[in-house]
């Protein structure tokens, strides 16, 4: 089974802190994604990566950065956490070689609260 | 810009009845339309997809219908069971892109 693991289930951070959310996948997938999920807004794409050290902005990249130093690991960084970044963060991975691939595999999510 | 949205945020269905979840999309360039299911406390999970040159695709107890004329997508679940309780997301993808764009979700609840 494909497994996408997010390092924390719940996090509470203070405003202005630098926050790291970690994600690891074990299926050798090229694509990795970070989404945030808010009630009524669905899943919004923050950043994605299709290869090591490669990244592309999604729809809401402001206030976030990412790092992909190894194929299996994709980190989301909140440079200076703010209360409006309180949300559920979901990491996902998928195969890259097949452009028709529509199946992304998700982690269980990290619920981040910024106080 | 791109958007994938849903007609209804919540749907309540009697156990054993069929469920129909609707979705509108706006990106005519999308090549694939996808349904995901998210159970409480879990990440979304792929259910079924349909290519833009198709009108209908069936899976196990699920059918997806695509009407490109009115940019409408639906997911039909036959004989709805308690385990079908979840939030359902429609999503779309272009062949040339890796990213998947999600809609806002519909919560399906099952009445005993």
């Amino acid at each position: 089974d494909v497994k996408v693991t997010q390092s924390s289930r719940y996090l509470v951070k203070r405003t202005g802190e630098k926050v790291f959310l970690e994600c690891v996948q074990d299926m050798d997938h090229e694509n990795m994604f970070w989404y945030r999920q808010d009630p009524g807004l669905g899943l919004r794409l923050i950043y994605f990566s299709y290869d090591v050290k490669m990244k592309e902005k999604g729809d809401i990249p402001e206030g976030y950065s990412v790092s992909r130093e190894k194929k299996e690991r994709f980190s989301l960084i909140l440079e200076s956490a703010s209360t409006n970044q309180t949300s559920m963060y979901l990491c996902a991975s998928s195969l890259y070689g097949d452009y028709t691939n529509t199946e992304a595999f998700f982690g269980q999510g990290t619920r981040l609260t910024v106080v | 810009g791109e958007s994938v949205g849903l007609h209804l945020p919540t749907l309540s269905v009697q156990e054993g009845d069929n469920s129909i979840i609707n979705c509108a999309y706006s990106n005519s360039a999308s090549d694939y339309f996808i349904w995901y299911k998210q159970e409480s406390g879990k990440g979304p999970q792929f259910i079924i997809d349909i290519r833009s040159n198709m009108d209908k695709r069936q899976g196990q107890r699920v059918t997806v219908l695509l009407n490109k004329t009115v940019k409408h997508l639906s997911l039909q679940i036959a004989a709805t069971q308690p385990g079908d309780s979840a939030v359902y997301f429609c999503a779309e993808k272009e062949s040339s892109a890796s990213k998947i764009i999600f809609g806002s979700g519909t919560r399906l609840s099952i009445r005993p």
Side-chain angles (χ1 to χ4, degrees):
Chain A
D1 281 352
V2 175
K3 192 163 186 180
V4 178
T5 304
Q6 295 181 228
S7 55
S8 302
R9 194 67 186 263
Y10 299 95
L11 274 179
V12 180
K13 296 292 182 180
R14 295 194 179 277
T15 300
E17 275 193 78
K18 190 170 187 177
V19 181
F20 293 85
L21 302 183
E22 307 286 347
C23 176
V24 176
Q25 51 95 3
D26 66 359
M27 283 302 292
D28 203 35
H29 285 170
E30 292 84 2
N31 292 332
M32 295 191 76
F33 308 87
W34 276 105
Y35 291 88
R36 66 176 279 178
Q37 182 175 14
D38 300 289
L41 296 177
L43 278 69
R44 293 180 291 167
L45 182 64
I46 305 171
Y47 267 98
F48 68 101
S49 168
Y50 52 89
D51 200 354
V52 175
K53 297 190 185 296
M54 305 302 292
K55 61 185 180 183
E56 286 198 25
K57 293 180 180 179
D59 299 320
I60 52 166
E62 296 79 17
Y64 303 95
S65 62
V66 290
S67 173
R68 191 152 180 216
E69 297 296 320
K70 294 184 178 182
K71 190 175 184 180
E72 68 271 18
R73 187 179 296 271
F74 192 36
S75 302
L76 179 69
I77 304 158
L78 286 66
E79 297 292 341
S80 178
S82 64
T83 55
N84 63 11
Q85 292 179 308
T86 292
S87 186
M88 171 69 81
Y89 290 87
L90 289 161
C91 175
S93 71
S94 71
L95 289 168
Y96 172 80
D98 180 359
Y99 281 110
T100 66
N101 184 42
T102 55
E103 185 171 9
F105 295 86
F106 282 83
Q108 79 279 21
T110 296
R111 183 163 294 282
L112 173 66
T113 301
V114 182
V115 298
Chain B
E2 300 176 355
S3 69
V4 182
L6 299 182
H7 292 305
L8 296 172
T10 60
L11 179 65
S12 179
V13 174
Q14 191 78 33
E15 183 178 349
D17 287 352
N18 296 336
S19 302
I20 300 176
I21 303 171
N22 296 305
C23 177
Y25 67 91
S26 62
N27 183 11
S28 299
S30 295
D31 299 296
Y32 294 90
F33 300 91
I34 317 143
W35 285 99
Y36 279 78
K37 173 186 180 183
Q38 185 179 26
E39 296 177 74
S40 180
K42 298 182 179 179
Q45 187 173 16
F46 174 92
I47 302 173
I48 190 169
D49 63 6
I50 186 168
R51 192 165 182 167
S52 59
N53 62 356
M54 299 171 64
D55 298 320
K56 180 179 179 179
R57 189 174 186 201
Q58 288 185 296
Q60 187 174 9
R61 277 202 312 118
V62 296
T63 301
V64 57
L65 299 177
L66 177 63
N67 185 331
K68 293 181 290 294
T69 302
V70 295
K71 296 183 180 178
H72 184 267
L73 182 71
S74 68
L75 177 71
Q76 301 180 4
I77 304 173
T80 310
Q81 303 169 359
D84 296 325
S85 291
V87 176
Y88 290 81
F89 293 97
C90 63
E92 54 91 8
K93 181 182 180 296
E94 296 179 29
S95 287
S96 60
S98 296
K99 64 181 183 179
I100 300 171
I101 303 299
F102 285 80
S104 55
T106 291
R107 180 174 299 279
L108 176 64
S109 63
I110 314 302
R111 302 190 303 271

